[in-house]
Amino acid sequence: MAEKLWDVVIIGGGPAGYSAALYCVRAGYSTLVVEMLSAGGQMATTSAIENYPGFVESVDGFELAMTMQQQAEKFGSETLYAQVTSAQLEGPVKTLETTEGPVTARSVILATGADPRPLGLANEDALRGRGVSYCATCDGGFYKGKTVAVVGGGNSAAEDALTLSKLCEKVYLIHRRDTLSATRSYLKPLDKAQNIEFLWNKQVTGLTADKKLSGLTLTDTVTGEESALEVDGVFVAIGRVPNTWLVKDQVALDRQGYIQADETTRTSLPGVFAIGDVRQKPLRQVVTAVSDGAVASKFVEEYLNGLD
Ligand code: NAP
């Protein structure tokens, strides 16, 4: 990889990344996707996507990811399975250090997505996979017939609570306010589910565990009163943290830490573009991620034409 100067290197093989790869390679540019694990990013952890146009029945996120990768590679896009450890993004030649050696490119598209936000509790990391989860679709099956809690008040928390209510005996939905910010379409099904109980104005301030989680400490956000809740698992759904550590000192970020890039996907650095969940935008969905990928190719082309 070291000797080749790629026209476009895309960091991240989620739907945004492979959409950009498809469009760039079809525009005639040598295109490499650098992906750490396997295609799909967060999308690959969703078993049933119901709002991606073109599928009357829901589509499996992992399968859709594989198809997107195959489609881009059919036209000549390549994938390097590696972690990018550092990036030098200034100037006409960008250099990425990866666990598989250096990669050089004339333009770089950042498609690194966003990870679930943790609660920030001391033993949280140690209990990942032992009662603490960030993906109901992935891990819900382990809690069949059990008692779980979902933390959060947005669409993810609402969706997770509904998913888990079909598997678990009891689901507590814990929110630090007294109303959900989830869209209205979730509210009726949540109210109808017999086994979902809302715990309003509560913050999770402790995780009780021996080898695995057995309960939560809750603190009332109005009165400050503490209480204990016995659960077999907790699903944290309190938003996302954009993956920008690689580039945060080189490109401008917004106040929430997302990469500043408007609808052109151009960042503050010439020849560097940001697409998908890592970019500032009003709606983070598969459909907006793939749209970003297509748009980026147009501005990559404009940039590369300017260099020639
Ligand atoms: P979100 O909309 O940002 O909601 C985060 C929730 O977590 C809010 O209720 C917030 O409470 C709470 N929260 C944040 N930090 C917290 C903390 N430290 N402790 C306790 N609670 C905390 O995040 P999201 O639900 O993950 O959704 C992210 C994006 O994905 C959104 O654009 C959403 O529309 C989209 N999404 C769409 C669908 C769908 O269309 N089917 C499904 C899932 C997600 P406050 O209100 O108090 O800040």
Side-chain angles (χ1 to χ4, degrees), residues 51 152-156 159 175-177 181 186 203 238-239 285:
N51 54 6
N155 282 339
S156 299
E159 200 168 279
H175 186 31
R176 63 184 180 183
R177 297 178 194 271
S181 56
Y186 288 114
Q203 185 80 281
I238 59 171
Q285 295 280 288

Side-chain angles (χ1 to χ4, degrees), residues 1-2 6 9 32 34 80 94-98 101-105:
M1 293 285 167
W6 295 87
V9 169
L32 177 72
V34 185
L80 172 68
K94 330 279 185 201
T95 305
L96 308 178
E97 296 299 332
T98 83
V103 171
T104 53

Side-chain angles (χ1 to χ4, degrees), residues 102-168:
V103 171
T104 53
R106 300 167 73 213
S107 66
V108 168
I109 300 179
L110 306 167
T112 44
D115 281 336
R117 172 178 290 123
L119 290 165
L121 299 173
N123 53 351
E124 184 174 353
D125 227 20
L127 291 171
R128 257 180 198 240
R130 291 194 285 142
V132 176
S133 170
Y134 302 85
C135 178
T137 319
C138 323
D139 300 335
F142 299 123
Y143 296 90
K144 269 191 190 137
K146 299 202 167 171
T147 297
V148 298
V150 174
V151 189
N155 282 339
S156 299
E159 200 168 279
D160 286 0
L162 288 170
T163 301
L164 293 165
S165 74
K166 291 172 195 130
L167 299 166
C168 303

Side-chain angles (χ1 to χ4, degrees), residues 2 27 31 70 79 92 104 131 139 148 174 183 188 194-195 231 253 265 274 298:
T31 304
Q70 283 162 13
T79 298
T104 53
D139 300 335
V148 298
I174 302 170
T183 45
K188 240 191 192 157
Q194 299 286 314
N195 58 347
V231 290
L253 306 180
T265 78
K298 175 181 162 52

